[in-house]
Amino acid sequence: MTTPHEAVRELLGAWALDALMPGDEADVTEHLGECERCAAEAARLRDTVRHLDGPEAPDPPPDPDPGTHGLSLALRSRAPALRTAPHAAPYAAAVAALKALLGELDEYGPWGTPVVHEWDVHDTVAHLIAADEPLARHVDGNRRAPARPAAPAGPPPPWRVEWAARTREVILRERDRTPVQTVSTWRNQAAGLLSSRAAHDPELAARTVVLAGGRLPVADHFLARGFEAWVHAGDIGTALGLPVPPPPAPHLWQLVRFAVRILGPALGPEAPPVALTVSGEGGETEWILGSADDPVRAQLVLDPVDFCLLVGGRRTPEGVPRGTSGDESAAQRVLTRAASLSWL
């Protein structure tokens, strides 16, 4: 029979990664205060995690106007995210950024501030729990998540319908909990994803799987998680008047390439060909989208952040800053199709 001492020792690795489920936190904290041997082991594990994460970032210089600028500096100079394989790095960084943003709010903070889709800050974090669930279940990085009710008999609903239904279900559940508890659940699930083998093994992540309506390599599903975490962090920051910087340039370009890989097939091989150039921090890349058998009909130039926000539903085809030449209708078709891809 497993003793309480043995049970806590099995949880020390999760404790070091801040990946405990909410129900275990109190038990582990209490035990560490009573058991010197487990406390020493826990400290050793936490030091190992910090070593793997790299040196702590230096404190930012004092801000004469502590507020929105101060938070922006804090987000830019935060300690490195948990190290992963490159395909999971944008998600790790987005999680670290959102943790820093939510860390500015205490339990009495402005959690009820409207954000997007009739969600407030608390609801938006709950949505991220639901959004990360399919990948978390696939990689088995969240073994002790509450079981979902059995699906009704009959053909499954379209994935967007199921996606929206699961978000409503989780939001209603989390409204009965405190924002701090909701953030803890999101953090623990994210930590489980980032500590999974799939986040560290490119060969394993190259396998394709159908999640949220898309048959993609697991690596691309990690990029989708990073994309969504960044966009919703921006939503929350905008709602609270706190600037959230874009992803670091290498991560931003990973998201750009991911978005183009989705956009090309969505346009189809018969679409009028358009030369899409994404140009900004980190370089410039051009893709020919649409028919490979016809001459290019239009040129379309977008900034990488604007392009990602268009695909993420935070820019409109009419309002996104861009440069165009040639057939305006062909360029507009690309912009409209890109905006239609948003699931956020």
Side-chain angles (χ1 to χ4, degrees):
M1 179 176 179
T2 302
T3 67
H5 177 81
E6 292 170 335
V8 168
R9 284 182 62 83
E10 292 177 356
L11 295 171
L12 292 183
W15 177 87
L17 288 166
D18 287 331
L20 284 174
M21 297 299 290
D24 294 325
E25 293 175 1
D27 292 341
V28 172
T29 300
E30 181 179 357
H31 184 77
L32 294 182
E34 298 172 350
C35 178
E36 292 185 5
R37 186 167 54 145
C38 283
E41 175 67 5
R44 184 188 69 78
L45 289 171
R46 179 59 63 84
D47 286 343
T48 299
V49 170
R50 288 173 177 164
H51 174 72
L52 291 173
D53 281 352
E56 293 186 0
D59 293 334
D63 187 354
D65 179 21
T68 60
H69 182 56
L71 177 60
S72 182
L73 283 174
L75 289 171
R76 290 181 182 278
S77 59
R78 62 185 178 270
L82 185 67
R83 290 184 181 178
T84 66
H87 66 268
Y91 178 61
V95 166
L98 185 52
K99 284 167 62 175
L101 176 62
L102 297 174
E104 295 292 306
L105 310 180
D106 60 26
E107 59 182 314
Y108 305 107
W111 296 98
T113 303
V115 177
V116 67
H117 305 319
E118 299 184 350
W119 303 335
D120 59 19
V121 177
H122 188 179
D123 293 341
T124 304
V125 179
H127 164 69
L128 285 172
I129 295 172
D132 285 350
E133 275 182 351
L135 183 58
R137 289 198 303 271
H138 176 74
V139 304
D140 202 22
N142 197 18
R143 296 176 184 270
R144 291 183 294 164
R148 293 184 56 181
W159 78 267
R160 287 181 186 264
V161 174
E162 184 178 22
W163 183 270
R166 182 55 180 160
T167 281
R168 288 193 297 271
E169 180 183 333
V170 173
I171 286 175
L172 288 175
R173 181 192 74 200
E174 294 301 316
R175 285 176 178 172
D176 289 333
R177 306 173 73 217
T178 68
V180 171
Q181 289 173 322
T182 297
V183 170
S184 178
T185 296
W186 167 73
R187 287 174 50 139
N188 292 340
Q189 182 172 256
L193 271 167
L194 292 170
S195 62
S196 69
R197 280 186 58 211
H200 297 265
D201 184 342
E203 183 176 349
L204 182 62
R207 300 174 183 175
T208 59
V209 61
V210 178
L211 297 173
R215 179 180 292 278
L216 298 168
V218 170
D220 278 353
H221 286 294
F222 268 100
L223 290 175
R225 297 294 87 239
F227 206 126
E228 182 153 13
W230 163 52
V231 168
H232 285 314
D235 292 338
I236 293 171
T238 298
L240 299 178
L242 301 172
V244 174
H251 298 169
L252 179 62
W253 281 93
Q254 283 179 267
L255 300 183
V256 167
R257 291 190 291 270
F258 166 64
V260 171
R261 288 198 298 275
I262 302 300
L263 176 57
L267 278 167
E270 304 302 323
V274 173
L276 169 66
T277 300
V278 180
S279 178
E281 182 181 2
E284 177 177 300
T285 304
E286 180 180 275
W287 295 266
I288 306 299
L289 302 177
S291 171
D293 300 324
D294 300 312
V296 170
R297 296 267 295 275
Q299 301 275 343
L300 179 60
V301 181
L302 292 165
D303 172 83
V305 172
D306 287 326
F307 174 63
C308 287
L309 292 177
L310 175 70
V311 174
R314 299 306 183 269
R315 296 283 187 272
T316 66
E318 298 75 24
V320 65
R322 81 273 193 183
T324 59
S325 62
D327 185 341
E328 180 64 28
S329 65
Q332 189 65 31
R333 179 172 179 165
V334 172
L335 295 171
T336 301
R337 195 72 186 96
S340 74
L341 299 176
S342 175
W343 70 98
L344 310 182

